[in-house]
Amino acid sequence: MRKTLAKVTAAVLAASMMLSACGSSTTATTAAAEAETEATEAAAEAETEAAASGDSIDMSGVTLNFWSDKVGSGSYNMIVAMSKVLEDKGGFATVNVDPSYPGGMGAPYIFQDPSVSLSFVNGAPAKWAMEEGTLGKEPTDGYAAVIGGLTAVAYINCVSNDFLNKYGVSTIEEIFEKKLPLRIGCSSKGSMDAEGAYLLLDYFGVTEDDLKSWGGSITNQGGDQNAEALADGQIDFYIDHTSSSSSTMAQIASTCDVTFLQWGDDLCNWFVNEKGFDLITIPANSFKGQDTELKLPGSPDCLFANASLDEDTVYMITKTLSENRDALVNEYASLSPWDPATAWEESKRGGVALHPGAERYYKEMGYMN
């Protein structure tokens, strides 16, 4: 944009100089006409380049509806911050935040409502909902990925050392292979947190009835309740789709004698290759007693858009948020895994197709071919 403005300025100055040097002669008139033509062509070139880069795209007449989790939640606060950036830096007329988010597993279905413009959706359930449906519903569509890998969440899991010592095991694989009476604690059924427990059963070919026949169980309850149940010996194993800054996991590590489990390569690869997860690194010493790095499957928060949004609108959404990434991360550290240079990658978005507007931005920046 600056280069093309310079061309226009140079052409106009050249015209002025020619007029000054040649006076009012026929030669001066011809030179002035040629300079004016050059200036017009340069202005047209500047306008074309500005449109291509998004600098001249006017969003002042565009209103967006951004669905979020409940008021006061971490994701709600991040979405409010993003909405302000879209208004203040992207020039969008209004970005409404609607805290009607149905949870990670149900989120893809909100795009059946054409008024929903944007929402956070975990990449893996976005893939499942499109291919086979989730929560007992038919497959759906109508959405496309915009920004992947906003957060670094994974299936962090821990087991009571009393359980490990009692049965002489050390891995999740051994527990299931030996059909041990594992009492699992997780969040409510239908949540991304609980889905990890049920996916484990799926991988090992075990039903919930099988688990019960071994003396095990799955208890669906809140994080604080699971922490208390683990401390009281009511459950043996806790799994949560969360980050290295999880307060619940920190509480468990400080109050319970547990081991944080690293899953084997085959299990991790199944989550990644078959279920659309990414492999997330949990740094060593994120929690008390967790002295080695963990690499576990996770499905990061992604920004998805209604597929009906036009290319220019999604281009400007992607551009505006990406160019203000640092300011958003300074406000919300949980967004620090977000890297605009890799946010387009398939593993960061669960394999769901990119919106053409987002793809245009990433290609323009040279991040993708």
Side-chain angles (χ1 to χ4, degrees), residues 86-109:
L86 289 170
E87 290 177 348
D88 296 343
K89 304 295 185 180
F92 287 86
T94 305
V95 183
N96 299 313
V97 178
D98 186 341
S100 301
Y101 188 74
M105 294 293 290
Y109 290 87

Side-chain angles (χ1 to χ4, degrees), residues 31-50:
E34 291 175 350
E36 182 178 359
T37 299
E38 184 178 346
T40 300
E41 290 174 351
E45 183 182 349
E47 185 176 349
T48 300
E49 289 189 17

Side-chain angles (χ1 to χ4, degrees), residues 13-349:
L13 288 174
S16 299
M17 292 172 66
M18 286 181 182
L19 285 171
S20 297
C22 299
S24 57
S25 65
T26 301
T27 301
T29 302
T30 302
E34 291 175 350
E36 182 178 359
T37 299
E38 184 178 346
T40 300
E41 290 174 351
E45 183 182 349
E47 185 176 349
T48 300
E49 289 189 17
S53 68
D55 290 348
S56 67
I57 300 176
D58 182 9
M59 292 287 113
S60 62
V62 178
T63 294
L64 300 173
N65 295 314
F66 203 150
W67 275 37
S68 82
D69 202 351
K70 62 185 178 181
V71 174
S73 66
S75 61
Y76 173 84
N77 293 333
M78 287 188 284
I79 285 170
V80 168
M82 287 182 169
S83 298
K84 290 178 180 177
V85 167
L86 289 170
E87 290 177 348
D88 296 343
K89 304 295 185 180
F92 287 86
T94 305
V95 183
N96 299 313
V97 178
D98 186 341
S100 301
Y101 188 74
M105 294 293 290
Y109 290 87
I110 65 177
F111 291 105
Q112 291 178 344
D113 180 348
S115 71
V116 177
S117 309
L118 299 167
S119 183
F120 281 3
V121 182
N122 296 103
K127 171 186 172 73
W128 306 335
M130 192 171 283
E131 293 180 350
E132 59 196 46
T134 60
L135 302 177
K137 298 180 180 179
E138 292 295 317
T140 187
D141 54 17
Y143 52 90
V146 177
I147 298 173
L150 288 172
T151 59
V153 289
Y155 277 127
I156 301 175
N157 61 116
C158 60
V159 63
S160 163
N161 283 329
D162 284 344
F163 183 91
L164 296 179
N165 293 332
K166 180 178 180 179
Y167 294 102
V169 294
S170 60
T171 69
I172 193 68
E173 288 85 356
E174 287 178 298
I175 291 171
F176 277 96
E177 287 165 4
K178 293 187 176 184
K179 301 181 179 180
L180 299 180
L182 187 69
R183 296 170 299 170
I184 300 171
C186 57
S187 296
S188 59
K189 198 167 186 177
S191 67
M192 271 300 291
D193 301 326
E195 190 65 16
Y198 295 101
L199 284 171
L200 280 176
L201 297 186
D202 188 21
Y203 173 79
F204 290 107
V206 173
T207 67
E208 197 169 350
D209 286 338
D210 291 334
L211 185 64
K212 289 178 180 177
S213 72
W214 307 342
S217 62
I218 295 183
T219 301
N220 302 104
Q221 56 192 1
D224 289 342
Q225 292 172 299
N226 277 305
E228 292 174 4
L230 195 55
D232 293 340
Q234 296 174 7
I235 62 173
D236 309 301
F237 175 83
Y238 177 56
I239 184 169
D240 196 4
H241 193 240
T242 190
S243 72
S244 58
S245 60
S246 167
S247 58
T248 299
M249 286 297 179
Q251 177 188 349
I252 288 172
S254 298
T255 60
C256 305
D257 184 20
V258 298
T259 293
F260 287 88
L261 295 180
Q262 171 62 58
W263 297 350
D265 290 344
D266 289 346
L267 176 54
C268 288
N269 290 337
W270 180 79
F271 270 81
V272 172
N273 298 328
E274 300 297 327
K275 295 298 178 180
F277 284 80
D278 198 2
L279 198 59
I280 306 298
T281 298
I282 306 300
N285 301 309
S286 294
F287 310 107
K288 181 181 177 181
Q290 180 242 326
D291 54 6
T292 59
E293 178 182 272
L294 301 173
K295 290 188 176 181
L296 294 165
S299 182
D301 289 304
C302 306
L303 180 63
F304 278 77
N306 199 307
S308 66
L309 286 182
D310 65 87
E311 183 177 320
D312 279 354
T313 297
V314 177
Y315 169 85
M316 285 301 292
I317 291 168
T318 314
K319 174 183 172 69
T320 302
L321 293 177
S322 298
E323 292 181 354
N324 289 278
R325 177 264 182 199
D326 291 349
L328 288 164
V329 169
N330 286 338
E331 192 172 355
Y332 296 100
S334 56
L335 288 171
S336 58
W338 168 24
D339 181 0
T342 61
W344 59 271
E345 292 178 354
E346 186 172 351
S347 63
K348 303 289 186 185
R349 51 185 163 87

